[in-house]
Structures are given as C-alpha cells and as structure tokens.
Amino acid sequence: MVVVFGVLALGTGSIAVAPLDVIRTLLGNGSRITNFAVLDLRLPRVLIALAVGAALGMSGAVFQSLSRNPLGSPDIIGFNYGATTGGLLIILLFGGGTLAVSGGALAGGLVTALAVYLLAWQRGVRGSRLVLVGIGVSAILQAVNFYLIVNAQLADVARATVWLTGSLNNLGWTQFWPLAITLIALIPLLLAGARRLDMLEMGDDAAAALGVPVERSRVYLLVVGTAACAIATAAAGPIAFVSLTAPQLAKRLTRAAGAGILPAAWMGALLVLAADFVAQRIAGSSTLPVGVATAALGGAYLGWLLWRRR
C-alpha cells in the first residue's frame, strides 16, 4: 500500500506522469520533464510524509505501551503540545528559521515529557496517572499556545498558523535530510528499548522480577519516544491523531503481541502519505494541509474506539 500511494503521489499533479514512467524516473531513466516533476517537486514531499508518519507511529507505539492505554499517545498526553509550544516560541518571539524551529520543538517536547513524568511520579509512574497528568498539561499548553498567537504580529501569526495545522507544503530536500538523519539515528534507540517495553506492558512488578530496571527504562523510553514525536513536529508541524491511530491499526492488522514499533512506523507512514495525497486533491485549486485530513480521520477513529469500549 505504501508503494502504491507513493507511485500515485509522485505521478499525480499538474504534470501527470504515468506509473510506469514514475518507476523509470526513480530508476534513473526519466526524461527532463519527469525528472523535474518526480524527483525535484514531489519526491521530497513523499519522503518527508513517510518519515514524519513513521516517527509519529513509533512514538505512539511507545507511549501507548508505556501507559497500557490506547489513548496514551503523544498528542493526547501533551508531548505533542509541548513540541508545538517550543516551535511557536521560536517563530513568534524570536522569528527563527526552520532549523531554530526544529530545535525549539525538540526542546519543548523533551521539557514537557520531563514535567509530565515528575508530576505523575508517586513512588513510581503508573500508566493511568501518566495519561491524566498529560491531559492536564496539554490543556495548559494549549492555552499558552493560544495566548502566544493572540499577542503576536500578524505576519508571524500567518506563518505560525500554517505550521500549527500540520503541513507538508513548501517542504523540499533541505528539510528532508535533517529529518532523515535524525530518524535513522533514533530508530536503533527505539528498537533497543522494545524488549524492555514489552516487559513493562506486563506490569512493573513482573518487569522488575525479570530484571528490568523499571524507572530507568521508563525514563529512557520517554526520552526517545518524545524525541521521535518532536522531530516529526519540527519538520511538518503538529499532525494530529497519527500517533493515536497508527499503533492500534497496525496491531489489528498484524495481530502480533508487544508494542509493535516497526508495524506502527509502517502504518504511520501510510496514514500520512495517504492523508496528504487526499488533502492535495480534495480542495480543488487550493492545497489543504495534511493535518486537516488526519484530524478528520483521527476524529472518526476516536469515536469508533470509544464506541467499541462501551
């Protein structure tokens, strides 16, 4: 499915390219026009969509397993909002560029994760308490974000609003390479914690009995999970609901036990790519931000999940 949507996204647009010509161009046998349309214009956007979706999917898998709760994703428990606040501070107060916004988003996500962890601590951190504290922190951060926007200059607000929606518009190779390098460095760290994550899902007492240092492992997983969420937010803004839906959909398809970090990455990449493909074509001449499409999808999924829970 990822390959199918990738070929469709690379071949569809004002310059139409047939699927076979897309494949020939990717293999280095394209014409000047197809090289321009596929390699220069569309390929960076497709790769960024895949990388952002994979990062969000892995982050969601980590936090849902840590909290043992399908609602325990970064955009529900506040870490996504923390990254958003960090990026907004750089945009609205300092007028920083793309690299500075990325650093601000990463720092904001990590500081929020630390704050939620400390506030949730009570002779250890329980999953339900982590979710409840995270929801409260996310509400506070949403208020801070609205305050920053209301009191900002109009030009800065326009830039911040596009970033806040979650958009892949105007992103190219310059934005892809830092994202790809950071994600490649993070994936081994996430996979290294997967075994401990599977044991923590059985409960703290069972994990400790198996020799897992519970709190050290939880802090490690919080840091790498938050970093995955933050780099995705830094690259494309806060794309909603992907980290919530991707791990659960991957589990239902694979029916595999454990956190399922790699299946969640695959599903997240597919969701963002498909949502961006639909968003580019549903609004006619204008381009809809991908965050709008994922929010609609995520809202429907959340309603279905709550109905099933009843």
Side-chain angles (χ1 to χ4, degrees):
M1 288 296 291
V2 172
V3 174
V4 171
F5 270 108
V7 171
L8 285 175
L10 290 172
T12 309
S14 56
I15 303 174
V17 182
L20 287 177
D21 291 331
V22 169
I23 296 171
R24 289 193 193 98
T25 302
L26 293 175
L27 294 175
N29 298 316
S31 64
R32 188 171 64 178
I33 294 177
T34 58
N35 284 339
F36 172 73
V38 174
L39 301 180
D40 296 336
L41 287 182
R42 298 170 189 160
L43 185 59
R45 183 180 184 123
V46 167
L47 293 177
I48 290 172
L50 293 173
V52 166
L56 291 174
M58 291 188 291
S59 180
V62 168
F63 288 114
Q64 288 180 12
S65 295
L66 271 181
S67 62
R68 298 192 288 276
N69 190 325
L71 294 178
S73 70
D75 45 1
I76 298 294
I77 60 178
F79 302 154
N80 201 9
Y81 287 109
T84 302
T85 303
L88 277 180
L89 286 171
I90 299 299
I91 293 173
L92 299 179
L93 298 185
F94 303 104
T98 303
L99 187 61
V101 172
S102 300
L106 181 60
L110 292 174
V111 168
T112 303
L114 178 62
V116 170
Y117 181 81
L118 293 176
L119 291 170
W121 175 272
Q122 194 175 47
R123 294 192 299 274
V125 176
R126 302 294 177 185
S128 58
R129 187 175 176 84
L130 184 72
V131 172
L132 289 173
V133 171
I135 290 172
V137 170
S138 67
I140 295 171
L141 291 173
Q142 279 183 287
V144 171
N145 294 342
F146 284 131
Y147 176 82
L148 290 171
I149 290 173
V150 167
N151 289 277
Q153 299 294 324
L154 189 59
D156 294 332
V157 169
R159 179 188 172 197
T161 302
V162 173
W163 185 77
L164 271 175
T165 309
S167 176
L168 301 177
N169 298 340
N170 302 318
L171 299 184
W173 292 113
T174 304
Q175 290 77 30
F176 168 71
W177 290 117
L179 172 63
I181 292 168
T182 311
L183 185 60
I184 290 169
L186 264 178
I187 288 174
L189 300 178
L190 287 162
L191 295 179
R195 182 173 174 272
R196 293 182 179 183
L197 188 59
D198 292 340
M199 293 183 179
L200 287 172
E201 273 194 310
M202 298 186 295
D204 291 357
D205 294 336
L210 292 170
V212 176
V214 172
E215 292 307 324
R216 287 208 306 272
S217 299
R218 188 173 279 122
V219 170
Y220 172 83
L221 290 163
L222 277 171
V223 170
V224 294
T226 303
C229 171
I231 64 168
T233 304
I239 298 177
F241 285 110
V242 175
S243 54
L244 174 70
T245 56
Q248 294 300 312
L249 291 176
K251 280 187 176 182
R252 281 168 171 76
L253 286 175
T254 61
R255 300 189 182 277
I261 289 177
L262 289 180
W266 166 79
M267 181 57 70
L270 176 61
L271 287 176
V272 174
L273 182 60
D276 186 52
F277 179 80
V278 172
Q280 287 185 72
R281 287 149 186 87
I282 202 172
S285 58
S286 59
T287 303
L288 199 67
V290 65
V292 176
T294 60
L297 172 68
Y301 169 79
L302 186 59
W304 173 81
L305 181 64
L306 294 172
W307 175 79
R308 278 205 59 169
R309 288 279 163 179
R310 283 189 67 185

